[in-house]
Amino acid sequence: MDNVTYGQLLKDAAALIEITGGDPWRARTYARIGRDLAKRAEPIDPVVASGNARSLPGVGASVEKHLVELQESGTFALLEELRAEAPAHILDLTRISGLGPKKIRALWQELGVGSIPELEAVLADGRIAELKGFGGKSQDNIRAELERLARTAGRRPLPAALRVAGPVLDFLRSLPEVDRAEIAGSVRRGKDLVGDLDFVVASDAPLAVTQAIVGHSLVREVIASGPTKTSFMLPGDLQADVRIVEPEKFGALLHHFTGSADHNVAMRARAKAQGLTISEYGVASVETGEVVACETETDIFAAVGLPFIEPELREGAGELQAAEAGRLPQLVQRRDLRGDLHMHTVASDGRNTIREMAEAAREFGHDYICITDHSKSQTVANGLDEERLRRHMADIDAVNDDIDGIIVLKGIEVDILRDGSLDLPGDLLDELDFVVGSIHASFRLDRGAMTERLCKAIASGHIHCVGHPTARKLGTRDPIDFDFDAVVAACLKHRVALELNAGAGRLDLHDIHAKRAAAAGVKLLINTDSHSAGGFHQIFFGLCMARRAWLTSDQILNTRPWDEVRQALGPVPG
Ligand code: DGT
Ligand code: CA
Ligand code: CA
Ligand code: ZN
């Protein structure tokens, strides 16, 4: 069994313990262990199999027993007991942010609500108002959440999809019968939310490949299986389609299933005008039926008179015209990025020290980083007040003096308060190398007030960058509402950058806004907002957003050395 499943089932048990009125302390312990196991890089299976489950972080005698049962049977007795005690679909309610286990328990015990449709019913007939803690505001929130869930039904964040897709792709590539395997579809195009996974495989032995896939431990349920096409379910209710072709036709298959559908439609129209057809089997002549291209994607594009178009651009949004005119952008790449200017340490809510973050960043290949812990109003995140920030600044300087091969800058992620003022005094902020200003509360101001709030912070002269500008949480919280163009104008005027926050839970700005900001001339920064030394790889997700926004390296500030970044930002001198 894979780590994600171990973790998910422990988290399910944790939620059910609280919903059924069990010990909250025990629930929290299970939830924490579940989260840690799901994130763990090394497989848990062999550890459990060798009887060493207790060497896993936090695991004691009772959890060890569950893990052993899980490995043997795919479930454990306690989980089954808990499931039997509560309504079958009650865990669906945990997807509504703002509804914790306590509230879910009240809904179930007092009103008999055990599923999302039942929740919709008590909301519609007003019975929900009988419950304590479910006033008008809370009901509005639940309504908004239900709308959000309906809108994003079945779609999930790219990082979560990749966590599941990665091991499947590795497995396919490890098969001796497999020549090449790639993930296609919306994942290859780097979309922030994806519907399903599409794998394309080159092999001369499709049956052997199919047999191997359906036997894989990650495969939950096979939906359809033919000689060259298989569909199955992966953990987290994620569907995957696998298609297999002979190696000579791999390019055609990869192109077709990378899409997007709109891009394919545009390609077909172009081919038709040239007397050609285009399908998953290649580009062919209408007249003779002869296939003129199929081996590589470059061949496919060349057959219709175009240069290679990067997958992130294939949305049918003018990429064919740009390619035809020789105006395709030279998209920013991983190796262009030199630094990361947003991260947390143990001083606030991060897991590692300044030194550990610096060493990991250097190992990752960065030339500079900025330590930006939270400011004081983030009490849950142990935010820094003036006095603690002063000490932290000295600590950062000490690490910077001591370490070779990387510049360690001192900064902060200062809260932009409800009225647009900043959470720490301006003269103190001005002593820092770099300041990120972010919104972490009061997300529901109306559009006018929210725009004013952001513009006031941008005009303060004390911040260099707006962090995660729309404050969305990918798949769980909608973006805040403000006049984006007004904020872009303020950023230009005051030389403030906008962040492309690459943190797996955010991806904020997303592509459409990033494109608009860059077109207006605002500088962007791709930062990971890492909360641990293992977080820097998330820059990949930020790159996906940037590339989907057609961005080149000169539109992204942290492709430059630190002194140039600094000079490009902040109040105009004089
Ligand atoms: P998703 O899964 O909803 O996030 O988005 P995609 O783009 O991965 O869509 P999916 O999985 O339905 O299909 C993968 C690609 O296969 C799609 O981008 C283009 C191609 N494709 C699938 N069905 C059709 C179709 O009916 N017409 C065209 N032109 N292309 C299709
Ligand atoms: Ca797909
Ligand atoms: Ca699909
Ligand atoms: Zn933040």
Side-chain angles (χ1 to χ4, degrees):
M1 193 154 81
D2 60 286
N3 293 3
V4 178
T5 310
Y6 276 112
Q8 186 58 51
L9 294 177
L10 276 180
K11 284 188 280 184
D12 285 357
L16 286 169
I17 289 172
E18 275 202 89
I19 291 168
T20 56
D23 176 5
W25 184 83
R26 188 178 188 199
R28 273 198 296 280
T29 308
Y30 280 29
R32 193 183 55 240
I33 297 172
R35 276 196 304 276
D36 286 348
L37 293 185
K39 273 195 262 178
R40 201 179 159 81
E42 311 81 48
I44 301 161
D45 245 350
V47 183
V48 176
S50 63
N52 291 319
R54 281 210 227 180
S55 67
L56 298 164
V59 174
S62 63
V63 175
E64 176 182 31
K65 203 168 138 261
H66 303 326
L67 294 177
V68 171
E69 284 177 58
L70 269 171
Q71 180 159 58
E72 281 164 5
S73 67
T75 183
F76 53 103
L78 173 69
L79 179 62
E80 291 307 311
E81 281 161 29
L82 289 164
R83 280 176 173 162
E85 221 176 300
H89 298 289
I90 201 154
L91 286 180
D92 291 352
L93 298 174
T94 60
R95 288 160 60 204
I96 296 169
S97 89
L99 273 195
K102 271 211 194 76
K103 285 195 157 177
I104 294 174
R105 177 171 171 78
L107 282 165
W108 169 39
Q109 297 283 307
E110 312 283 324
L111 299 177
V113 169
S115 67
I116 287 187
E118 286 163 3
L119 175 63
E120 275 164 347
V122 297
L123 206 55
D125 68 16
R127 278 197 298 144
I128 197 166
E130 296 165 14
L131 288 186
K132 224 176 77 192
F134 286 88
K137 251 189 139 168
S138 156
Q139 289 176 38
D140 289 347
N141 173 44
I142 294 173
R143 267 190 207 97
E145 278 289 291
L146 288 171
E147 275 168 35
R148 183 184 62 72
L149 284 175
R151 220 171 35 243
T152 57
R155 307 195 68 78
R156 62 211 70 220
L158 176 68
L162 279 172
R163 259 202 304 279
V164 181
V168 175
L169 190 61
D170 290 344
F171 172 72
L172 286 168
R173 288 176 175 166
S174 75
L175 297 172
E177 298 88 357
V178 169
D179 247 45
R180 263 192 86 180
E182 295 291 341
I183 179 135
S186 50
V187 173
R188 181 159 183 246
R189 302 198 310 279
K191 273 196 85 163
D192 53 351
L193 292 165
V194 305
D196 69 358
L197 303 178
D198 305 279
F199 295 95
V200 294
V201 175
S203 172
D204 285 318
L207 276 174
V209 176
T210 304
Q211 272 168 8
I213 301 164
V214 299
H216 192 273
S217 73
L218 276 168
V219 172
R220 290 287 171 277
E221 177 197 347
V222 178
I223 300 162
S225 184
T228 60
K229 264 193 216 178
T230 303
S231 295
F232 48 81
M233 298 306 292
L234 290 167
D237 251 349
L238 192 57
Q239 185 178 327
D241 301 328
V242 177
R243 290 175 182 85
I244 310 167
V245 271
E246 310 88 286
E248 307 81 65
K249 294 188 182 156
F250 185 71
L253 187 75
L254 178 61
H255 176 265
H256 180 81
F257 288 107
T258 296
S260 64
D262 288 344
H263 169 84
N264 288 355
V265 167
M267 284 288 282
R268 264 205 294 278
R270 185 179 172 90
K272 195 172 170 200
Q274 302 179 359
L276 299 166
T277 64
I278 180 167
S279 73
E280 60 193 278
Y281 305 108
V283 182
S285 155
V286 172
E287 215 174 299
T288 64
E290 185 202 351
V291 173
V292 297
C294 59
E295 192 162 349
T296 70
E297 283 192 319
T298 305
D299 296 341
I300 303 288
F301 285 116
V304 294
L306 293 176
F308 180 84
I309 301 174
E310 302 275 6
E312 295 92 334
L313 301 180
R314 300 184 200 166
E315 293 294 343
E319 70 274 13
L320 266 57
Q321 291 87 328
E324 162 103 57
R327 283 189 290 100
L328 284 175
Q330 181 70 47
L331 297 181
V332 60
Q333 303 179 50
R334 164 68 191 93
R335 64 163 180 270
D336 297 330
L337 293 166
R338 301 179 181 216
D340 191 332
L341 296 174
H342 185 169
M343 67 195 63
H344 300 265
T345 71
V346 286
S348 62
D349 59 348
R351 289 216 212 166
N352 292 94
T353 62
I354 302 164
R355 174 111 211 164
E356 287 162 348
M357 293 304 279
E359 284 171 353
R362 183 178 59 187
E363 176 79 9
F364 191 73
H366 283 321
D367 298 339
Y368 55 87
I369 55 168
C370 186
I371 304 291
T372 55
D373 277 295
H374 284 292
S375 64
K376 63 182 186 236
S377 71
Q378 285 301 299
T379 45
V380 284
N382 191 24
L384 300 166
D385 59 16
E386 288 89 326
E387 207 185 304
R388 285 183 60 220
L389 176 56
R390 284 221 173 273
R391 268 184 276 143
H392 196 42
M393 288 161 70
D395 291 344
I396 297 168
D397 279 339
V399 171
N400 188 43
D401 288 343
D402 193 47
I403 197 168
D404 290 326
I406 187 161
I407 303 171
V408 185
L409 302 157
K410 45 185 190 292
I412 189 127
E413 180 180 20
V414 67
D415 258 62
I416 299 175
L417 302 175
R418 191 184 176 90
D419 66 354
S421 63
L422 302 175
D423 193 26
L424 287 167
D427 51 356
L428 176 57
L429 295 177
D430 293 348
E431 289 180 43
L432 295 161
D433 297 309
F434 182 80
V435 177
V436 182
S438 300
I439 285 180
H440 292 121
S442 306
F443 300 115
R444 284 162 199 270
L445 295 187
D446 67 48
R447 187 178 173 86
M450 194 64 91
T451 307
E452 234 175 88
R453 175 186 189 183
L454 279 163
C455 289
K456 182 174 166 189
I458 291 163
S460 69
H462 304 299
I463 70 172
H464 300 107
C465 171
V466 179
H468 43 76
T470 77
R472 77 164 173 174
K473 286 269 178 84
L474 196 52
T476 61
R477 186 169 72 215
D478 277 344
I480 55 174
D481 186 21
F482 60 90
D483 178 344
F484 190 71
D485 296 315
V487 166
V488 160
C491 284
L492 270 181
K493 179 167 175 208
H494 298 284
R495 304 205 322 151
V496 168
L498 288 175
E499 182 176 71
L500 248 167
N501 189 298
R506 294 195 182 267
L507 305 192
D508 176 18
L509 294 178
H510 74 117
D511 42 33
I512 294 166
H513 280 133
K515 195 170 183 177
R516 230 156 90 196
V522 172
K523 295 299 181 208
L524 298 164
L525 283 162
I526 303 180
N527 294 325
T528 59
D529 197 354
S530 283
H531 284 67
S532 76
F536 294 114
H537 71 92
Q538 296 172 103
I539 205 112
F540 170 80
F541 307 129
L543 274 166
C544 286
M545 295 305 111
R547 290 167 63 88
R548 286 181 61 79
W550 293 51
L551 300 186
T552 57
S553 67
D554 58 318
Q555 292 170 307
I556 295 172
L557 269 182
N558 49 328
T559 61
R560 306 189 196 168
W562 165 246
D563 53 343
E564 285 181 34
V565 177
R566 190 63 190 82
Q567 275 162 27
L569 295 173
V572 186

